[in-house]
Amino acid sequence: MKTQITIWFGLFATLLMSACQKDEVKSVVQPGAAPTLAASSSTLTLQAADATKDAVAFTWNAVDYGYPAAVTYTLQFDKKGNSFKAPIEFANGNGLKKSFSVADFNTMLINLGVTPGTTGQIEARIKSDVSPGVASVVSTASTITGTPYAVVIVYPSLYVPGGYQGWSPDKAPKIVSVKSDKNYEGYVYFPDASTEFKLTDAPNWNSGIFGNKSGANGTLASPGDNLTATGAGYYLLKADLNANKWSATKTTWAVIGSATPKGWDADTPLTYDAAKGTWSAVVNLVKGDIKFRANGAWDINYGDTKADSLLDLNGDNIAVPADGKYTVTLNLSSAGTYTYSVVK
């Protein structure tokens, strides 16, 4: 009798488990339509004076996965046409909105290769994820057109007043000490055949004044004789207040590299625009690399080591992604912050 009861109990348990399995509700990941990304503005001209203000806000709708899923959203940005191969990403948890200040969006534009002062385009999209192994759901890319501003670092400066600009320190160009080590440099355009000038450590004549030591050209004295530059042109000025030395090197500029018509063998000259303070040329380039150099030699040359549109002395080659006609521009007018653009 005990054996019979055990058999019936086992059979009942089996039937009960079978019934429970039939009643089980299985959750299936079934993502609905991709989210739609919207921007509060698609065209942005950014100004340093507005750095702390809001620049743009992005919003998107939630993705329905068919059950109460723990969804995470990531906002992605990349160069237009780069297919999000190397995006800048902002994780946003389960939030459906992300805002950027002018300063933050300005930095991102520059990091994505948009040269300060020029207009460029980037793309934005929202990516939705629910769990490992489940494919991401992404929105259609939205295009944002932006003009970033240059972030000017205030370095210790020497002003360059002279006859070429009315001997006005407060209106004079500057040379700067990037390392704050009393070594200064910068580029200044002298339009006259002969130019006399001095250096001051303030935008007035009330503080340190530096000129040339009488009878010792290249040596600084305070106040000293007027410094001189012979020949109109674009000069690299250097001053070392540790050793009391100065120099003025006249420069002309060109672009060179495998992307240029003459390759690495010869320069393609750039033309100086005194009104804009830039060197430029329209050049037929091919996919390859370029650099900027002065006076047909490698003594003074610039590349872009961080790919941030800021030039570095002896920096890395600058990549040209595709064949085409480009406007190549070199801007050395802001001492300590040298920039360039290569616009197709």
Side-chain angles (χ1 to χ4, degrees):
M1 185 68 176
K2 181 178 180 181
T3 301
Q4 186 178 8
I5 292 173
T6 301
I7 293 173
W8 277 106
F9 181 80
L11 179 60
F12 176 76
T14 301
L15 292 173
L16 181 61
M17 290 178 64
S18 176
C20 289
Q21 289 175 352
K22 290 180 180 179
D23 291 340
E24 180 183 359
V25 177
K26 294 185 178 180
S27 297
V28 180
V29 178
Q30 295 178 330
T36 299
L37 181 67
S40 59
S41 178
S42 60
T43 302
L44 303 171
T45 300
L46 306 176
Q47 303 290 337
D50 300 326
T52 60
K53 297 180 180 179
D54 287 341
V56 60
F58 294 89
T59 57
W60 55 93
N61 58 292
V63 176
D64 183 4
Y65 283 85
Y67 73 101
V71 186
T72 59
Y73 297 98
T74 304
L75 195 56
Q76 297 181 314
F77 298 90
D78 204 350
K79 297 178 182 178
K80 184 174 177 61
N82 201 41
S83 301
F84 294 90
K85 294 175 183 176
I88 293 176
E89 297 185 327
F90 296 88
N92 205 57
N94 61 359
L96 301 177
K97 180 178 181 179
K98 174 69 176 177
S99 297
F100 293 88
S101 70
V102 168
D104 288 343
F105 207 78
N106 189 77
T107 298
M108 184 169 61
L109 285 173
I110 294 172
N111 287 342
L112 287 176
V114 182
T115 302
T118 65
T119 300
Q121 291 186 318
I122 64 172
E123 290 182 314
R125 73 181 186 183
I126 190 67
K127 180 169 72 79
S128 171
D129 292 288
V130 66
S131 62
V134 178
S136 300
V137 179
V138 297
S139 70
T140 300
S142 299
T143 299
I144 305 295
T145 301
T147 306
Y149 56 86
V151 180
V152 179
I153 302 172
V154 180
Y155 298 111
S157 303
L158 293 177
Y159 299 80
V160 192
Y164 70 103
Q165 54 83 242
W167 292 101
S168 301
D170 59 319
K171 299 177 182 177
K174 298 183 292 185
I175 60 176
V176 304
S177 178
V178 173
K179 296 182 180 179
S180 299
D181 58 359
K182 295 187 177 182
N183 282 284
Y184 298 80
E185 76 161 55
Y187 291 87
V188 180
Y189 176 64
F190 294 142
D192 302 325
S194 181
T195 300
E196 294 188 356
F197 61 98
K198 281 195 171 181
L199 304 175
T200 67
D201 63 5
N204 54 56
W205 295 104
N206 302 326
S207 188
I209 302 171
F210 305 94
N212 193 72
K213 184 177 181 179
S214 182
N217 193 34
T219 300
L220 290 172
S222 181
D225 299 334
N226 290 342
L227 306 170
T228 59
T230 302
Y234 198 74
Y235 284 82
L236 169 60
L237 297 185
K238 292 186 176 182
D240 180 356
L241 297 189
N242 299 298
N244 291 322
K245 296 294 184 181
W246 75 280
S247 64
T249 303
K250 186 178 179 180
T251 64
T252 57
W253 287 88
V255 63
I256 191 172
S258 61
T260 67
K262 300 176 183 178
W264 290 106
D265 296 324
D267 292 331
T268 297
L270 302 176
T271 300
Y272 184 65
D273 185 328
K276 295 181 179 179
T278 59
W279 294 82
S280 66
V282 176
V283 186
N284 289 316
L285 300 176
V286 298
K287 183 178 180 180
D289 297 314
I290 62 170
K291 292 191 82 173
F292 296 94
R293 71 175 186 171
N295 303 335
W298 291 106
D299 297 342
I300 309 172
N301 76 87
Y302 293 103
D304 186 354
T305 300
K306 297 180 181 179
D308 56 2
S309 297
L310 299 178
L311 290 169
D312 305 288
L313 185 65
N314 302 317
D316 292 347
N317 294 345
I318 299 165
V320 177
D323 298 1
K325 180 178 287 187
Y326 291 82
T327 299
V328 180
T329 303
L330 172 67
N331 189 344
L332 304 173
S333 62
S334 181
T337 308
Y338 305 141
T339 62
Y340 71 96
S341 64
V342 182
V343 180
K344 192 172 183 180

